Each structure stands twice: as structure tokens, then as C-alpha cells.
Amino acid sequence: IPKTIKQKTSMMALLICGLGALFYCYEYFLRISPSVMATELMQSYHITAAQLGNLVAFYYYAYMPMQIIVGIFMDRYGPRLLVTIACFMCAVGTYLFACSDVLAIAQTGRFLVGFGSAFAFVGALKLATIWLPMRRFALFSGIIVALGNVGAMVGDVALTTMVQHQTWRQACMMSAALGIVLAVFIVMIVRDRNSNIPKEFQQDHINESFGHVLSGLWQAIKRKPIWFNGLVAGLTYIPTTAFAELWGIPFVKQARGFTSHEAAITVSMIFLGWVIGCPVVGFI
């Protein structure tokens, strides 16, 4: 885009990017939900802690491989269609997880949630590149991650309260309904083209061939800084994934004798650190 054409941050741009960030917040909420109801899940499905870990892992069986190719699909088909389908898929997977008494169907539900969740962060970033000035990309990236961890904090505290006063199935049903509503808003509001930029200056990624996109991916893979940054980011995030997102609340309850509510608040402080730190780093 020529420097003479200034990208404007309109209310529409903020709304569209905000919906993308909200989907990431929602998927993170779903991601950590089993940690809140770990005991109830083991009782309902008559499984051990190891089997519970395997049930939760079905999320990552879909999520991790999709991270490799989701960007290619995002460039090829645009974020509006993919994010809408992904959000709907998360809702359907959560519904299956909530209503089934069969472990295999619950695993399928978590797999669907993981598959849909894979599009959330990349989709939000893609919308930011379309609708926001590049000088604000780092800040918005930090805000996206912060909102995701807000979803984790809300999930820890709010879901704990809901499970205590209702059942874990009812809590998941309400989460599924929330996803359907969000998917409707996304398909109604999100657009793949920025109306503030003349069409001749917009890159038409949607019409690019898979060969061209794969060529760009290969060029990125060959760059050493990308591998180094990925390694640092991965090692930084592993403690949050391995501990806070699943075993944090059960561990604090057993090791410290905390109540469910106290344990949820304690573990949510890990996510609070991300909420504060990510926008600050993005701003810097």
C-alpha cells in the first residue's frame, strides 16, 4: 500500500477485528474448560486421570497439525468463511462433549473443538492485517493474546461457579449456545476486504494458487529466525499449556487443600500475567 494512502482505523475495523479476537477468547475458554470439571469428568465417564489426559489431548490432536496449514487456507479462502465455520464447529463439538455418555463421542467433540480452535488466533491476525494499519499490528497481536487469557480466567472462575451450582453438562451446553451466537455475528459483520483501501491496492490472496502459497511457506520455513522465535515462544508457552490449562486447579486443590473456587482464582493469576504482559510487549 503506498504511503500516500493512509489506513484508517474505523469503528467497522475495530468491530471486525474485535470479533476475531472474541472468537480467540471463546476458543481459549473452551480449551481450559476440562480443568475446571476434571473430577466430574472422571466420575461421569468412569476414567482415571491418565484417561482424562487422553480425552483432553484429543483437542490437541486436531489443533497442532492444523496450525501448520491453517494459514494457507486463511490466505486462500479468506477469514470470514473459515472463522465462521470454525466457530460453529467449536460449538458443535462442545455440544457433543456435553450431551454424550459415550467416551468416544466426547473425544470426537473435543477433536472438533480443537479443529475449529486452530483457526481462531490466525484468523484474528489475518483480520488485523486487512483492517488495521501495520504500525498497530504488534499491539493488536498482544491484545488478542490478552483476550484469549481473559477467556481462560473467566473460564476458571465462572465455570467453577457454574459447575458447583448446576452440572458440568449444563455449563458446556451454555458454552455451545454462546458459540452459535458468536458465529452468527461473525458471518453477518466480518468482511474479507477493507473498504477504506482502494481495490487496486489490495492484495487478492483469495485468488492465489496453492502452489504460490506453498512456495511462500517454504521460503518462511528456510529462515532461521522463524525457527528461533518459534522455539522461544514454544518454551515460554509450554508451562501454561501443560499446567494451567488442565492440571493446575486439581493440583492446587490437592497439594494446598484449596476449595475449587480458591484454586480457580489462584491458577487464573497465571493467565492474568499474560493479560497484562502481552499488550505491554506489543506496545513496546
Side-chain angles (χ1 to χ4, degrees):
I1 301 173
K3 294 182 178 180
T4 54
I5 299 177
K6 296 183 179 180
Q7 287 183 264
K8 300 178 181 178
T9 307
S10 63
M11 289 301 297
M12 177 59 71
L14 293 176
L15 178 59
I16 289 175
C17 293
L19 282 172
L22 190 59
F23 175 42
Y24 181 61
C25 178
Y26 172 69
E27 76 86 5
Y28 215 131
F29 175 89
L30 298 180
R31 188 190 310 184
I32 61 92
S33 60
S35 68
V36 175
M37 52 192 73
T39 302
E40 289 78 6
L41 290 174
M42 287 189 288
Q43 292 174 350
S44 296
Y45 291 108
H46 306 289
I47 56 178
T48 64
Q51 290 173 317
L52 173 64
N54 183 57
L55 169 61
V56 174
F58 269 80
Y59 173 100
Y60 295 100
Y61 293 157
Y63 185 88
M64 292 180 64
M66 285 301 299
Q67 291 300 297
I68 301 174
I69 61 174
V70 66
I72 298 175
F73 284 101
M74 201 65 65
D75 283 340
R76 185 71 178 85
Y77 299 107
R80 178 174 179 259
L81 174 65
L82 294 178
V83 172
T84 300
I85 294 175
C87 187
F88 181 76
M89 189 174 295
C90 286
V92 171
T94 303
Y95 175 79
L96 289 177
F97 184 76
C99 67
S100 174
D101 292 318
V102 180
L103 182 60
I105 296 180
Q107 292 170 338
T108 302
R110 287 300 293 178
F111 186 88
L112 290 176
V113 173
F115 190 95
S117 296
F119 292 84
F121 185 64
V122 178
L125 293 181
K126 181 65 176 180
L127 288 171
T129 63
I130 295 173
W131 286 92
L132 295 180
M134 288 304 298
R135 68 180 184 275
R136 298 189 179 182
F137 182 78
L139 175 60
F140 186 72
S141 299
I143 293 174
I144 293 172
V145 178
L147 284 176
N149 285 274
V150 167
M153 292 180 63
V154 172
D156 276 347
V157 179
L159 276 176
T160 297
T161 303
M162 291 171 64
V163 171
Q164 288 177 337
H165 291 83
Q166 300 180 35
T167 67
W168 70 269
R169 295 184 186 276
Q170 289 174 321
C172 288
M173 286 290 190
M174 294 177 65
S175 301
L178 181 62
I180 296 296
V181 173
L182 180 58
V184 171
F185 275 103
I186 291 172
V187 74
M188 290 177 58
I189 297 175
V190 170
R191 294 294 180 268
D192 290 331
R193 298 186 185 277
N194 190 341
S195 56
N196 295 322
I197 300 176
K199 187 175 181 180
E200 60 267 24
F201 296 115
Q202 297 188 34
Q203 292 182 323
D204 197 3
H205 292 293
I206 296 178
N207 291 327
E208 290 183 355
S209 66
F210 270 111
H212 186 272
V213 175
L214 288 173
S215 175
L217 176 62
W218 176 244
Q219 294 301 318
I221 289 175
K222 292 192 295 184
R223 297 187 61 187
K224 292 182 179 179
I226 290 181
W227 286 94
F228 178 77
N229 291 337
L231 180 63
V232 172
L235 292 176
T236 302
Y237 189 62
I238 281 175
T240 304
T241 302
F243 180 74
E245 291 182 6
L246 178 58
W247 298 114
I249 292 178
F251 173 81
V252 172
K253 287 169 64 177
Q254 294 185 18
R256 300 296 180 182
F258 287 3
T259 65
S260 296
H261 186 70
E262 291 171 339
I265 293 177
T266 301
V267 174
S268 70
M269 292 300 102
I270 297 175
F271 299 112
L272 179 61
W274 284 85
V275 170
I276 296 173
C278 289
V280 172
V281 173
F283 178 77
I284 294 174

